[in-house]
Amino acid sequence: MAVREMVIIVVKQETGIHINKRDVSVQNNTVYIKVKPLLKNEIFIHKMEILDELKKNLKEKAPKNIL
């Protein structure tokens, strides 16, 4: 499964927030999410849980940061 798709699934699982595929990009092991500030704050509250879950699912392909 692609990293972007997995990010969308894990964010939905951890926060209940649905993100469109066009709002997620991955560069240099960093995920960039373009959403409203209120939603972004909620995602950052759960940042560590999201990154841990991505690491479990994607192993070495897992991103190291979310911005």
Side-chain angles (χ1 to χ4, degrees):
M1 180 174 288
V3 174
R4 283 174 34 175
E5 293 167 352
M6 185 56 71
V7 168
I8 292 167
I9 291 169
V10 171
V11 168
K12 175 82 172 166
Q13 197 176 306
E14 295 292 327
T15 66
I17 297 170
H18 176 72
I19 303 172
N20 292 318
K21 194 171 184 178
R22 69 179 184 277
D23 295 331
V24 177
S25 63
V26 180
Q27 292 179 311
N28 301 325
N29 282 335
T30 300
V31 175
Y32 296 91
I33 301 175
K34 296 175 189 156
V35 293
K36 294 179 182 178
L38 182 66
L39 298 177
K40 201 167 220 182
N41 285 340
E42 186 66 27
I43 291 168
F44 282 140
I45 289 170
H46 297 278
K47 181 178 179 176
M48 295 313 297
E49 293 91 351
I50 293 168
L51 289 173
D52 287 344
E53 193 64 31
L54 288 171
K55 193 170 191 173
K56 285 181 200 171
N57 290 308
L58 295 172
K59 310 284 189 242
E60 69 278 347
K61 293 182 183 179
K64 306 285 186 250
N65 199 4
I66 299 174
L67 298 176

